[in-house]
Amino acid sequence: HESVSTSTYKDVRHVCGSAAIVERLWSMAHYLLTTERSRMSPILFEAILFLRFNHKMWDVTTVNAAHCVIKKANREERLDEKLLECDEVGGDDDGEEGAV
């Protein structure tokens, strides 16, 4: 007779302890950051690595939609900056027209 013990912990013996995913990520990073790309900004490096590692989560349509959203946001930001510049230039007069 084998006695069955009960535990408050979950049985996780079926989970493999492996660093394979991390090794794959480092391998991708190694091939991405070459001497020709050594001046790549950290944010661009991270974005490309994320997209490569999670390639099943996106397609060309997803990237295009994100690109359009960013372009629109940048366009609106530039427009706001131009409007502020115009307000600053136009805001210099003190209401006295034709003062000598």
Side-chain angles (χ1 to χ4, degrees):
H1 249 284
E2 206 176 292
S3 73
V4 177
S5 64
T6 58
S7 174
T8 56
Y9 299 103
K10 290 186 178 190
D11 181 11
V12 292
R13 287 180 282 185
H14 63 279
V15 177
C16 292
S18 172
I21 292 174
V22 176
E23 292 296 331
R24 247 180 293 155
L25 180 67
W26 281 110
S27 179
M28 279 186 209
H30 171 74
Y31 289 109
L32 179 62
L33 195 59
T34 62
T35 55
E36 292 83 21
R37 296 179 180 160
S38 63
R39 297 183 65 142
M40 184 185 306
S41 71
I43 193 84
L44 181 59
F45 173 73
E46 183 178 345
I48 293 172
L49 192 60
F50 176 83
L51 289 172
R52 282 192 178 183
F53 194 76
N54 297 297
H55 63 90
K56 292 179 183 172
M57 298 173 66
W58 62 273
D59 60 8
V60 173
T61 307
T62 311
V63 174
N64 189 42
H67 182 257
C68 290
V69 168
I70 296 298
K71 274 179 48 175
K72 182 180 178 187
N74 287 342
R75 189 177 316 122
E76 290 173 357
E77 185 178 320
R78 286 193 311 269
L79 180 60
D80 288 343
E81 288 173 2
K82 289 288 185 186
L83 289 173
L84 280 175
E85 287 175 15
C86 289
D87 286 347
E88 289 172 0
V89 171
D92 284 346
D93 85 343
D94 52 2
E96 295 179 26
E97 290 186 32
V100 179

